[in-house]
């Protein structure tokens, strides 16, 4: 068994590699390496007409009108080009005139053009979608597949002869160009030793304008027209770290066919025979020759087989798989190395050094002595504790580590402690004594003594720990339990205890106790813009300033986040609390310095005074927070002292929330619809659904009164979903009556945060049967600004359903232009604030005009809000605005009134029909 152990190791290694598929990665790496060793030029019979950056700069943004492709086709045909293949998507219709021009050009060149078809995966993971050229194009051209397979490492190596699209086998583009038969042919390896840079290439724009030198290069050549510009993104990773464009990859495949370089793997029989030869050679030579000779034979064999494989691949279209051969060689080299190791000697050395390694790796100090208490082992932990190097302590008595106790007690006896350890379960005795460092400093040491009988007599050991570190940690834990770790201020627990103590003192000896809760205005913006590290510096600077202003008799604490608190106890005649709070607020008019930056931070303060503002500590904290909320809403940068009216406002809000919940249960909400018209002729294109509350006592309640409460309450999602469902069902009723009215709804932030909005919209469309294009969702910037990546994905999926997405209140936010670029939008609504004074305010006119122009460039529709007269509507038409809404066309109204005013004519026409 020992004789065949190395060969069994090799067999196991090969079995593991074959079962895991690792040899495939090595095979690909070796093949790619041979490509880099060999280099051959392209034949020049395939020319790429490149849709490159200069062409895009001169012609314009891609995609181009197909009349340009038609003109290019005629130019190439007139120049005497051979077969012409387009690596461009022709599966969707464009401008009818351009499409007809391209069909005519295909017909004029005699149907010799090759147009691409390709499979495109669907987003939900279903069956792949087949993109074919439009029927008019395919009738005048040859079909070809442009799909290539990307391997697990992200590279393209193989090229198919063809692929089944539906029931028919369609040949690949390079196969059609090279004039090969695609039937019953397996994919081949593209010869990447052909330099991609040697493939002739001309610019699309040069060929289009008839440049003589350019057209001369394509005469008699096979042509591939496709995108090479980086911005068009048609890129593939190929061996040896290169990136090539789609047309160049097709050209390399065509060149491989034309040069008879369609590479394929050789039979596995040769690999098996090679493995057998190397195994027999090693079995024969294992005990007959020295290890150096066997190593030389293995390395020479590996180099020889790799040289043969490289020569074969360079001369013939065959790739020899040498991966398993090299793996066997590496396994044999490993076996030779293992065979030469003296394991018994190695295990002996390990056993001898085990204790030493453990001792040297301990974080604690470890000291061992002989029976005379002289040190024999001194580890790095002991050096770290006492400051002595090992050379200074080996052979010295243990007692020199002990300081003479101040009370005159004797030093600890290692002998007594170690002997005692032998009698204790666990074999160790813990002793505490006063130690002395090399620099003379004394400190508390905890030592765990033990003893054992060795070959050289009784020996002692001690594990030493610096207790002063433990004590400092305990003090640190206590400090962290009472203070804020970032600012060093008192924390909430310490504040609460101090506040309760001041209240107790005030009840025994009357004096004013006031609690100020301080909130930073706009602090979140600092975190988002400059990062949390900059925000932490600001919080520390705020803490320093508050401590400087509050005085020694006050407790300054950080409650958490950007909230601080000050508890002040003032005797009669002291600074009034209102002036004190005002002084604190004014102190932040001066910028805060944090390193090289200065930050202007305003604060709002809520004040609760013991007595009127509450009796206990918890009540004071609660009321001070209510006052802070009031200050942030009404008096930012100043203070508000708590009074009963503030709590009354909160109770009113809670009452309103309760009434709103009852209103939702009783069905008191209604949807009104405001018409949206085509400005050029006033025809109806849609309606915006707006919620109204018909209170049983108060009548209709203004949305401005109840919607702010709805949007910040738990009812938000429920009411928003009701609005969407009701609007969709109303739109479906109008659709069934023959009126395709597009209904727009305003999206609530709660609908995004609660779940998968795209799934909910899809389910609602399926339940109601509404045509997706008749639903329009309006979103505002405050919705888009949170969780940008998730929101972006959700709106893409909504748009894929066919639902339109519009940006509402455009121009009122700070990042609207960036959202036009990032998010999938179909249009935008110009805010009414820009439209109301459009005729009188030149600035508004400039903004509206620029917005309309930008929207046209981006392919977005524009809806103007707040149109209240004909002059404004006409002015918007002259600026290019297509749609609008406002009181001039109609106020929001119930569905019945909307039908009578805007749909009656259409309904009558349907009935008559």
């Amino acid at each position: 068994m020992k004789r065949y152990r190395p060969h069994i190791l090799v067999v196991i290694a090969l079995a593991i590699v074959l079962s895991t598929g690792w040899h495939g990665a090595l095979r690909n790496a070796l093949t790619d390496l041979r490509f880099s060793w060999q280099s051959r030029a392209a034949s020049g019979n395939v020319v790429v007409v490149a849709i490159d950056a200069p062409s895009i700069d001169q012609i314009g943004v891609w995609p181009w009108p197909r009349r340009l492709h038609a003109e290019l086709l005629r130019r190439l045909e007139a120049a005497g080009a051979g077969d012409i293949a387009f690596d461009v998507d022709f599966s969707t219709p464009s401008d009818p005139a351009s499409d007809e021009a391209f069909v005519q050009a295909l017909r004029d060149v005699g149907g010799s053009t090759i147009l691409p078809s390709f499979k495109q995966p669907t987003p939900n993971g279903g069956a792949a979608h087949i993109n074919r050229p439009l029927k008019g194009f395919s009738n005048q051209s040859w079909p070809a597949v442009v799909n290539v397979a990307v391997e697990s490492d992200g590279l393209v190596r193989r090229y198919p002869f063809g692929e089944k699209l539906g029931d028919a086998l369609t040949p690949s583009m390079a196969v059609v160009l090279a004039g090969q038969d695609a039937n019953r042919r397996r994919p081949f390896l593209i010869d990447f030793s052909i330099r991609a840079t040697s493939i002739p290439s001309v610019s699309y724009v040069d060929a289009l304008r008839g440049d003589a030198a350019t057209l001369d290069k394509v005469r008699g050549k096979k042509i591939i027209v496709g995108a090479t510009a980086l911005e068009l993104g048609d890129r593939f990773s190929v061996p040896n770290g290169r990136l090539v464009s789609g047309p160049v990859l097709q050209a390399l495949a065509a060149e491989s066919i034309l040069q008879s370089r369609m590479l394929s793997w050789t039979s596995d029989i040769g690999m098996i025979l090679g493995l057998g030869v190397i195994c027999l050679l090693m079995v024969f030579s294992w005990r007959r020759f020295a290890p150096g000779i066997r190593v030389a034979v293995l390395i020479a064999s590996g180099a020889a087989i790799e040289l043969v494989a490289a020569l074969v691949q360079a001369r013939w279209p065959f790739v020899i798989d040498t991966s398993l051969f090299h793996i066997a060689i590496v396994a044999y080299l490993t076996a030779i190395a293992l065979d030469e190791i003296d394991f018994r000697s190695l295990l002996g050395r390990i056993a001898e050094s085990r204790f030493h390694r453990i001792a040297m790796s301990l974080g604690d100090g470890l000291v061992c002595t002989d029976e005379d208490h002289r040190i024999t082992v001194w580890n790095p932990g002991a050096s770290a504790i006492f400051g002595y190097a090992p050379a200074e302590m080996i052979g010295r008595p243990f007692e020199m580590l002990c300081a003479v106790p101040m009370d005159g007690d004797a030093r600890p006896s290692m002998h007594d402690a170690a002997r005692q350890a032998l009698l204790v379960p666990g074999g160790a005795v813990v002793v505490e004594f006063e130690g002395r460092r090399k620099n003379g400093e004394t400190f508390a040491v905890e030592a765990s003594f033990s003893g054992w009988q060795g070959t050289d007599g009784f020996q002692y050991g001690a594990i030493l720990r610096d207790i002063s570190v433990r004590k400092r940690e305990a003090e640190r834990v206590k400090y962290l339990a009472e203070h804020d770790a970032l600012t060093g201020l008192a924390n909430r627990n310490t504040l609460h205890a101090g506040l309760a103590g001041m209240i107790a003192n005030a009840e025994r000896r009357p004096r004013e106790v006031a609690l100020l809760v301080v909130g930073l205005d706009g602090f979140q913006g600092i975190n988002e813009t400059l990062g949390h590290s900059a925000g932490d510096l600001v919080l520390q600077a705020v803490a320093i300033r508050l401590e400087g202003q509050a005085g020694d008799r006050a407790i300054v604490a950080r409650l958490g986040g950007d909230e601080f608190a000050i508890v002040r106890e003032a005797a009669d005649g002291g600074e009034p609390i209102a002036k004190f709070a005002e002084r604190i607020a004014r102190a932040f008019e001066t910028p805060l310095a944090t390193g090289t930056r200065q930050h202007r931070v305003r604060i709002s303060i809520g004040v609760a005074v013991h007595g009127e503002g509450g009796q206990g500590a918890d009540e004071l904290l609660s009321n001070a927070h209510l006052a802070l909320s009031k200050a942030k809403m009404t008096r930012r940068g100043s203070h508000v002292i708590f009074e009963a009216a503030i709590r009354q406002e909160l109770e009113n809000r809670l009452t309103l929330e309760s009434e709103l919940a009852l209103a939702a249960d009783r069905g008191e909400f209604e949807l009104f619809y405001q018409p949206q018209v085509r400005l050029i002729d006033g025809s109806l294109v849609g309606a915006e659904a707006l919620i109204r509350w018909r209170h049983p006592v108060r009548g209709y309640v203004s949305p401005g009164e109840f919607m702010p409460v709805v949007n910040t309450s738990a009812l938000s999602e429920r009411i928003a979903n009701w609005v969407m469902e009701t609007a969709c069902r109303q739109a479906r009723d109008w659709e069934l009556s023959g009126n395709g009215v597009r209904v727009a709804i305003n999206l609530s932030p709660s609908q995004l945060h609660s779940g998968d909005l795209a799934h909910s919209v899809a389910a609602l469309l399926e339940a109601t049967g509404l045509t997706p294009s008749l639903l329009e969702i309006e979103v505002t910037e405050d919705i888009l600004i949170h969780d940008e990546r998730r929101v972006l994905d959700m709106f893409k999926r909504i748009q894929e359903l066919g639902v339109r997405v519009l940006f509402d209140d455009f121009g009122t936010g700070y990042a609207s232009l960036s959202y036009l670029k990032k998010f999938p939008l179909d249009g935008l609504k110009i805010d009414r604030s820009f439209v109301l004074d459009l005729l009188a305010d030149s600035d508004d006119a400039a903004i509206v005009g620029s917005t309309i122009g930008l929207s046209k460039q981006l392919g977005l529709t524009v809806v103007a809000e707040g149109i209240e007269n004909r002059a404004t509507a006409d002015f918007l038409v002259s600026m290019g605005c297509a749609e609008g809404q406002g009181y001039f066309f109609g106020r929001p109204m119930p569905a019945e009134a909307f039908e009578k005013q805007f749909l009656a004519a259409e309904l009558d026409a349907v009935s008559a029909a």
Side-chain angles (χ1 to χ4, degrees):
M1 186 65 182
K2 183 178 179 181
R3 178 181 178 183
Y4 294 104
R5 186 169 55 194
H7 314 293
I8 295 173
L9 172 65
V10 172
V11 172
I12 293 173
L14 290 173
I16 292 174
V17 168
L18 284 172
S19 63
T20 57
W22 292 345
H23 69 292
L26 178 58
R27 178 187 63 188
N28 289 336
L30 291 171
T31 306
D32 298 346
L33 188 60
R34 294 170 200 155
F35 286 144
S36 65
W37 291 343
Q38 305 157 10
S39 178
R40 63 182 76 238
S43 66
N45 291 328
V46 180
V47 177
V48 174
V49 176
I51 302 172
D52 50 11
S55 301
I56 293 176
D57 289 341
Q58 297 184 41
I59 296 176
V61 177
W62 180 267
W64 299 331
R66 288 176 179 156
R67 56 181 175 77
L68 298 181
H69 300 323
E71 179 63 24
L72 175 69
L73 195 56
R74 291 191 175 92
R75 291 280 190 189
L76 295 175
E77 179 69 16
D83 294 334
I84 302 171
F86 278 86
D87 191 3
V88 177
D89 186 7
F90 289 98
S91 62
T92 55
S94 65
D95 177 55
S98 288
D99 287 350
E100 181 58 34
F102 189 62
V103 170
Q104 186 58 45
L106 292 172
R107 189 180 295 115
D108 292 344
V109 301
S112 61
T113 308
I114 303 167
L115 296 185
S117 298
F118 56 92
K119 288 183 178 180
Q120 185 174 3
T122 55
N124 58 5
H129 177 69
I130 300 175
N131 284 16
R132 305 177 186 270
L134 296 175
K135 187 173 182 181
F137 301 158
S138 60
N139 289 340
Q140 305 296 329
S141 62
W142 290 95
V145 175
V146 293
N147 288 105
V148 291
V150 179
E151 299 188 5
S152 59
D153 58 359
L155 303 183
V156 175
R157 292 186 177 88
R158 290 176 172 79
Y159 190 84
F161 269 84
E163 190 169 352
K164 291 198 74 173
L165 299 182
D167 298 329
L169 178 67
T170 304
S172 294
M173 179 171 285
V175 174
V176 178
L177 274 178
Q180 295 289 315
D181 180 15
N183 290 321
R184 296 183 301 280
R185 301 288 290 274
R186 299 177 62 186
F188 63 88
L189 291 170
I190 299 174
D191 187 2
F192 286 105
S193 65
I194 301 173
R195 299 189 304 276
T197 55
S198 66
I199 297 175
S201 176
V202 298
S203 182
Y204 186 105
V205 69
D206 292 339
L208 184 65
R209 68 188 181 193
D211 181 71
T214 299
L215 295 178
D216 186 60
K217 292 180 181 179
V218 303
R219 184 171 290 108
K221 308 295 184 182
K222 299 176 183 294
I223 307 300
I224 298 179
V225 180
T228 63
L230 286 174
E231 54 265 41
L232 297 185
D234 189 12
R235 285 287 184 275
F236 295 93
S237 297
V238 297
N240 299 319
R242 292 183 294 166
L243 286 173
V244 299
S245 61
V248 172
L249 182 64
Q250 298 291 340
L252 284 172
E255 284 285 350
S256 298
I257 299 173
L258 293 173
Q259 297 187 35
S260 299
R261 295 292 299 169
M262 296 176 287
L263 303 178
S264 59
W265 301 106
T266 57
S267 172
D268 293 335
I269 296 176
M271 172 65 69
I272 295 172
L273 291 176
L275 288 174
V277 169
I278 198 68
C279 288
L280 290 174
L281 183 61
M282 287 295 102
V283 169
F284 173 77
S285 64
W286 198 259
R287 297 301 176 194
R288 292 179 175 84
F289 298 102
I293 296 176
R294 281 177 277 154
V295 169
V297 169
L298 288 170
I299 294 175
S301 300
I305 193 65
E306 194 57 37
L307 179 62
V308 170
L311 292 175
V312 169
Q313 186 170 323
R315 186 173 182 85
W316 294 285
F318 298 110
V319 179
I320 298 177
D321 182 5
T322 60
S323 58
L324 293 179
F325 193 84
H326 289 300
I327 291 170
I329 289 175
V330 171
Y332 270 119
L333 291 173
T334 304
I336 292 172
L338 293 175
D339 198 42
E340 292 303 305
I341 296 175
D342 185 354
F343 283 101
R344 287 188 177 180
S345 175
L346 178 62
L347 291 174
R349 291 194 299 271
I350 292 173
E352 291 174 2
S353 63
R354 180 180 301 163
F355 174 76
H356 183 74
R357 291 202 317 272
I358 294 173
M360 295 302 109
S361 63
L362 279 177
D364 293 328
L366 176 63
V367 178
C368 295
T369 72
D370 57 20
E371 59 182 356
D372 296 326
H373 302 168
R374 295 192 175 274
I375 296 173
T376 58
V377 175
W378 181 267
N379 78 336
S383 296
I385 294 174
F386 291 94
Y388 293 103
E392 297 176 279
M393 295 306 297
I394 299 297
R396 305 294 295 275
F398 178 84
E399 282 72 16
M400 74 174 293
L401 301 178
C402 306
V404 178
M406 296 298 293
D407 55 5
D409 291 342
R411 292 187 177 94
S413 170
M414 175 177 275
H415 179 273
D416 294 341
R419 290 292 181 182
Q420 185 182 353
L422 296 176
L423 305 175
V424 175
V429 171
V430 177
V431 176
E432 184 178 334
F433 66 92
E434 195 77 9
R436 184 188 301 278
R437 304 190 204 274
K438 182 179 180 180
N439 60 9
E441 176 189 353
T442 60
F443 64 101
V445 179
E446 181 185 82
S448 177
F449 289 106
S450 59
W452 64 92
Q453 184 65 47
T455 57
D456 297 329
F458 201 83
Q459 299 178 18
Y460 305 96
I463 297 177
L464 308 174
R465 297 183 183 88
D466 185 348
I467 301 178
S468 60
V469 175
R470 184 192 304 169
K471 290 181 177 179
R472 286 196 299 270
E473 287 300 318
E475 293 172 358
R476 174 66 176 166
V477 170
K478 183 175 182 296
Y479 177 84
L480 291 177
E482 298 175 350
H483 294 79
D484 175 57
L486 176 64
T487 62
L489 298 177
N491 61 13
R492 179 183 289 270
N493 293 333
T494 306
L495 173 79
H496 191 280
L499 178 57
M502 289 186 184
I503 292 173
N505 291 337
E507 290 174 351
R508 291 192 301 267
R509 187 176 178 184
R511 61 186 60 199
E512 183 184 64
V513 175
L515 170 65
L516 290 75
V517 175
V518 180
L520 307 188
D521 297 335
F523 176 72
Q524 186 64 27
I526 295 176
N527 276 337
E528 292 174 351
T529 351
L530 303 178
H532 286 275
S533 58
D536 289 346
L537 293 176
V538 171
L539 292 175
Q540 291 169 347
V542 169
I544 293 172
R545 186 160 296 181
L546 287 176
E547 281 191 308
Q549 295 294 322
D552 297 334
R553 300 186 62 183
I555 299 176
V556 182
R558 181 181 177 216
L559 299 179
D562 61 351
E563 283 191 356
F564 297 81
I566 302 173
V567 177
R568 192 190 74 150
E569 184 180 48
D572 295 339
E575 183 180 17
I577 186 60
K579 289 188 177 181
F580 178 73
E582 187 177 350
R583 177 166 60 82
I584 296 291
R586 281 203 312 270
F588 285 85
E589 294 176 358
T590 304
L592 295 171
T594 58
T596 58
R597 289 183 175 272
Q598 287 194 336
H599 302 273
R600 289 193 174 273
V601 177
R602 291 197 314 170
I603 64 170
S604 297
I605 304 174
V607 183
V609 180
H610 178 245
E612 296 180 359
Q615 297 300 321
D618 290 330
E619 189 177 2
L620 278 176
L621 275 168
S622 173
N623 291 340
H625 273 101
L626 288 177
L628 175 62
S629 300
K630 180 70 173 179
K632 283 183 174 291
M633 288 188 293
T634 60
R635 302 189 63 187
R636 278 185 176 263
S638 186
H639 70 279
V640 169
I641 299 177
F642 176 81
E643 53 188 19
I646 295 177
R647 184 168 294 279
Q648 185 62 45
E649 288 182 13
L650 175 61
E651 292 176 356
N652 291 341
R653 175 188 170 88
L654 294 176
T655 301
L656 183 56
E657 284 188 15
S658 176
E659 289 185 350
L660 288 169
L662 289 174
D665 294 337
R666 296 170 180 172
E668 295 175 4
F669 292 112
E670 298 180 5
L671 282 189
F672 279 27
Y673 299 88
Q674 185 175 23
Q676 296 176 334
V677 303
R678 186 175 291 106
L679 295 179
I680 192 69
D681 56 7
S683 59
L684 181 71
V685 295
E688 180 177 5
L690 301 168
I691 191 170
R692 294 293 185 267
W693 178 17
R694 186 169 59 185
H695 194 279
V697 177
R698 300 165 57 190
Y700 281 109
V701 181
S702 169
E705 181 179 345
F706 69 87
M707 282 308 295
V709 176
V710 169
N711 290 333
T712 55
S713 70
L715 293 171
S716 177
E717 182 185 356
R718 175 185 177 186
I719 294 178
N721 290 339
W722 175 85
V723 170
M724 181 179 288
E725 181 179 354
T726 304
C728 286
R729 294 193 183 281
Q730 182 62 69
R732 178 57 176 166
D733 290 343
W734 286 335
E735 183 182 11
L736 292 175
S737 67
N739 292 282
V741 180
R742 187 183 69 207
V743 175
I745 61 171
N746 293 286
L747 195 64
S748 168
S750 60
Q751 291 175 285
L752 278 179
H753 301 151
S754 61
D756 190 342
L757 177 62
H759 177 75
S760 300
V761 172
L764 182 57
L765 290 173
E766 182 178 359
T768 60
L770 178 65
T771 301
S773 60
L774 295 181
L775 177 60
E776 188 171 85
I777 293 178
E778 298 181 1
V779 297
T780 52
E781 185 175 299
D782 61 336
I783 291 178
L784 303 181
I785 198 170
H786 297 293
D787 200 359
E788 188 173 283
R789 182 179 299 177
R790 175 175 172 270
V791 173
L792 175 62
D793 173 70
M794 194 171 295
F795 280 120
K796 282 183 178 178
R797 291 165 54 207
I798 290 175
Q799 207 174 46
E800 289 170 0
L801 295 173
V803 176
R804 288 168 50 84
V805 180
L806 263 68
F807 193 172
D808 196 8
D809 298 337
F810 180 76
T812 60
Y814 69 92
S816 298
L817 292 179
S818 66
Y819 292 137
L820 294 185
K821 177 182 177 182
K822 293 178 184 177
F823 286 88
L825 300 170
D826 296 289
L828 56 84
K829 298 185 75 173
I830 300 176
D831 189 70
R832 59 183 287 111
S833 62
F834 296 104
V835 177
L836 289 176
D837 297 327
L838 184 62
L839 299 176
D841 193 326
S842 59
D843 291 339
D844 285 351
I847 292 172
V848 172
S850 299
T851 301
I852 294 171
L854 175 64
S855 300
K856 288 185 176 180
Q857 289 287 333
L858 297 175
L860 305 176
T861 60
V862 181
V863 181
E865 296 181 302
I867 303 174
E868 298 190 355
N869 52 66
R870 170 54 64 187
T872 302
D874 292 340
F875 190 35
L876 286 167
V877 170
S878 68
M879 299 174 91
C881 182
E883 300 177 12
Q885 69 183 81
Y887 288 173
F888 177 71
F889 303 107
R891 292 176 176 270
M893 60 190 74
E896 297 80 2
F898 185 87
E899 291 174 1
K900 291 179 182 179
Q901 184 171 345
F902 294 99
L903 304 181
E906 287 81 358
L907 290 171
D908 291 344
V910 171
S911 300

